[in-house]
Amino acid sequence: MLRRFFTLIELLVVIAIIAISASMLMAALQPTRYRAERAACTSQIRQMGQILSMYSTDNNGYMPHGATSGDVFQALEDEGYLENRELMRCPGDPAEVDEIVLTDKDTVSYWIDPKAPQDRDPMRAIYSDNPTTGNHVGGVNVLFADGHVEFVEPSSVFVFDGYADGIELEGTQSEFQHFLEGVGTISLLVRPDTLTEEREFALSADGQVTGGDVDLNIGRDEGAWWVSLSDGTSGYRILERRNVDIPEADRWYHLTVVLGGSGRGLYVDGDLKSSWDDFTGQTGDWKYNFHVGRSPDRGPGDRHWSGAVSQVRFFDTNLSESEVGEVLGREENLVGYWPLIGGGTEDFSNNDHHGMIIGDPSEDTEGDLIESYAIESYVNPYTGAPLYGNIRWE
């Protein structure tokens, strides 16, 4: 009896069928794996919640504080609360590490608020995944101050109509005079909806110094970014830049303005685009609170912003060029922080300059903010993610 062998073509067909079947099986198992990793991560975060609760009980209600998340993790271990460093690695974290170093941001999968308040606000995040490392698909696990854990998906941002909408940052009129003196850094995310209209302000304030009125504005002038600070004595602007073109509308940009010092200038997505001569500051006061999305002393439609604004930060120092790259995760010298997402206007810098909505800005869910904003291009993978409330990675 003759023995029949497979031909080469038949073998290739069988191998191809096996390969296709295996890939289909793997694809079917992927969601199950993601769910399992997310569930395991949730369990780990709850364990951290228990650790923080024990710490708080032993310390008169206070949460552990430090300069960075790493400092807090190290203190928890040194004081005997954190006994297993594996708790610091999320099962879904794709990075492989040989050793977990609590103060090394590249080996820890989580963030903790290094300045968490005593209150147990159910809306305040105190511990979470780091979303920039991609631990989970579509969001992050978050531990809130009241002890509950939630899977948080991308949130919404305020979109201003260019006519009457705005947000007034209450209580800012009596502070931040250092900006008039040429000292300070302002950081914000902006998305212009158009480049064809006239000048529009994403952030604006008006003040008065000896000799006259002044204003500070950040926005755009047609197709170029606009930054200005006027001189109340002469009426001329001591700082004015509109020489940096905006490549396109309807996408996110990160603007950072350093008023003075060696790093002074306008940064776009972390890159220095325009600098100016150092100048002598002015002594005076603001006439109005700072406004987002509109000018405080102009009528409807007059230089108001068309588009979205989020993640507004004020610092009371002139950051250096190297420090600007990590501004989204910086805690030091932070004197005002308004995430402006999820319909909230709270100040998360603990200075309580909460915003007040003017008009009716819509909430636009920007699920593609991370991709279009390209965080990785100018900050390290552990610094801030603008989609997740007060969560900040140092």
Side-chain angles (χ1 to χ4, degrees):
M1 183 174 65
L2 294 176
R3 298 178 61 187
R4 183 178 184 281
F5 296 95
F6 287 109
T7 66
L8 177 60
I9 293 178
E10 289 173 330
L11 284 172
L12 291 176
V13 169
V14 170
I15 292 172
I17 292 173
I18 292 173
I20 293 172
S21 300
S23 64
M24 292 174 64
L25 178 62
M26 290 298 293
L29 292 176
Q30 280 286 76
T32 302
R33 179 172 70 86
Y34 291 148
R35 285 194 295 270
E37 289 174 347
R38 204 167 92 183
C41 173
T42 299
S43 175
Q44 291 186 187
I45 288 182
R46 285 202 177 102
Q47 292 179 61
M48 177 55 72
Q50 293 170 357
I51 290 172
L52 294 175
S53 178
M54 286 190 294
Y55 180 97
S56 176
T57 300
D58 294 343
N59 290 273
N60 298 318
Y62 286 94
M63 300 293 282
H65 282 190
T68 67
S69 292
D71 292 340
V72 176
F73 293 143
Q74 189 63 62
L76 287 172
E77 183 182 62
D78 293 344
E79 296 179 33
Y81 292 96
L82 178 61
E83 298 178 349
N84 181 9
R85 289 193 176 188
E86 291 298 327
L87 200 62
M88 297 290 94
R89 292 292 302 170
C90 172
D93 192 334
E96 296 183 3
V97 298
D98 296 325
E99 180 184 4
I100 301 172
V101 180
L102 297 177
T103 55
D104 183 354
K105 55 185 176 288
D106 296 323
T107 68
V108 176
S109 305
Y110 297 104
W111 162 91
I112 190 170
D113 188 344
K115 297 181 181 179
Q118 281 183 275
D119 66 84
R120 297 295 177 258
D121 183 353
M123 296 303 293
R124 177 150 189 134
I126 60 172
Y127 185 77
S128 80
D129 282 300
N130 173 8
T132 60
T133 59
N135 294 355
H136 308 294
V137 176
V140 293
N141 279 320
V142 179
L143 170 68
F144 291 87
D146 67 342
H148 82 279
V149 178
E150 252 182 67
F151 186 72
V152 179
E153 298 178 348
S155 191
S156 56
V157 294
F158 286 105
V159 180
F160 304 93
D161 65 359
Y163 182 74
D165 294 343
I167 294 175
E168 181 177 356
L169 306 181
E170 296 185 309
T172 53
Q173 176 185 354
S174 59
E175 298 193 34
F176 310 121
Q177 282 80 7
H178 52 84
F179 290 148
L180 291 172
E181 298 166 5
V183 177
T185 301
I186 298 172
S187 167
L188 64 162
L189 287 171
V190 297
R191 192 194 70 197
D193 281 354
T194 178
L195 303 180
T196 58
E197 301 297 328
E198 295 182 356
R199 193 175 303 164
E200 295 185 345
F201 299 149
L203 180 74
S204 182
D206 287 274
Q208 190 166 31
V209 299
T210 303
D213 295 338
V214 296
D215 57 39
L216 172 63
N217 301 303
I218 301 174
R220 64 169 191 82
D221 188 7
E222 296 184 352
W225 297 117
W226 167 267
V227 179
S228 68
L229 175 63
S230 62
D231 179 352
T233 302
S234 66
Y236 292 100
R237 299 187 183 278
I238 55 178
L239 186 166
E240 179 177 288
R241 282 295 180 276
R242 50 183 170 185
N243 59 344
V244 180
D245 290 339
I246 306 173
E248 58 182 317
D250 200 28
R251 58 152 286 196
W252 286 95
Y253 299 90
H254 177 213
L255 303 184
T256 304
V257 175
V258 181
L259 292 173
S262 60
R264 61 187 177 274
L266 168 64
Y267 297 76
V268 181
D269 292 343
D271 295 325
L272 179 61
K273 295 296 186 180
S274 182
S275 59
W276 42 78
D277 295 334
D278 209 357
F279 59 87
T280 302
Q282 310 167 92
T283 301
D285 294 292
W286 299 110
K287 293 193 295 183
Y288 310 101
N289 289 322
F290 279 74
H291 282 61
V292 176
R294 68 192 301 273
S295 175
D297 67 341
R298 296 178 180 273
D302 189 359
R303 302 189 179 181
H304 295 351
W305 183 257
S306 300
V309 181
S310 185
Q311 301 296 309
V312 178
R313 286 173 167 87
F314 289 175
F315 299 88
D316 63 2
T317 189
N318 293 317
L319 299 183
S320 66
E321 186 170 351
S322 61
E323 291 172 327
V324 167
E326 297 184 0
V327 69
L328 290 179
R330 185 182 176 91
E331 297 278 350
E332 188 178 0
N333 301 112
L334 183 68
V335 291
Y337 172 40
W338 300 268
L340 302 182
I341 66 170
T345 60
E346 294 82 7
D347 175 9
F348 280 100
S349 71
N350 298 324
N351 287 331
D352 296 330
H353 298 306
H354 303 309
M356 179 180 68
I357 296 175
I358 300 171
D360 186 25
S362 62
E363 288 182 43
D364 183 10
T365 300
E366 286 301 311
D368 64 343
L369 183 54
I370 286 181
E371 289 88 5
S372 63
Y373 174 42
I375 285 176
E376 296 81 3
S377 67
Y378 66 89
V379 294
N380 66 55
Y382 207 70
T383 50
L387 289 178
Y388 298 95
N390 68 297
I391 301 173
R392 302 185 289 276
W393 290 265
E394 307 82 17

